[in-house]
Amino acid sequence: MTVFSVVRFKVKPGMEQLFLDAHQDVATAWPGLRHANIIKTGAEQGYCIIAEWESQQALASGRPQMIATLDRFRPTLDDLGNGMGTTDPVSGPVVLAIK
């Protein structure tokens, strides 16, 4: 069953390229990853990574590699506010595929 993960970030001004560069190897570094995109959101310095995984198990197995990637760019992140810290992750299975 296909699973998606979405993580929201706020990148410090001037650190955008370092943030993006840290994700260049995720296609090979995150086993079980099918597809990923980083989008720039409407929020100031806001970004999200949207990743498609083969299964819930693939996502769970990939967490150590995702954390290792996060550790490489953690200094580029600003706090999201409201006690959230620097990341806002969610994930879950596809319940309706539209196209």
Side-chain angles (χ1 to χ4, degrees), residues 8-10 78-88:
R8 186 169 60 100
F9 308 96
K10 183 177 179 185
D78 260 342
D79 191 281
L80 293 168
N82 298 321
M84 294 184 72
T86 58
T87 63
D88 181 18

Side-chain angles (χ1 to χ4, degrees), residues 14-93:
M15 304 291 274
E16 296 89 351
Q17 196 57 54
L18 289 171
F19 167 78
L20 295 172
D21 288 348
H23 291 88
Q24 291 299 323
D25 69 343
V26 299
T28 56
W30 298 359
L33 177 70
R34 286 185 178 163
H35 185 85
N37 287 291
I38 295 177
I39 64 168
K40 174 96 172 87
T41 69
E44 184 179 344
Q45 300 305 118
Y47 290 85
C48 282
I49 185 165
I50 303 165
E52 180 181 354
W53 297 86
E54 295 171 359
S55 65
Q56 187 66 44
Q57 181 60 43
L59 170 60
S61 295
R63 282 195 179 107
Q65 292 86 358
M66 288 187 284
I67 292 168
T69 301
L70 173 61
D71 287 343
R72 289 199 314 265
F73 69 86
R74 194 180 301 272
T76 71
L77 301 178
D78 260 342
D79 191 281
L80 293 168
N82 298 321
M84 294 184 72
T86 58
T87 63
D88 181 18
V90 295
S91 65

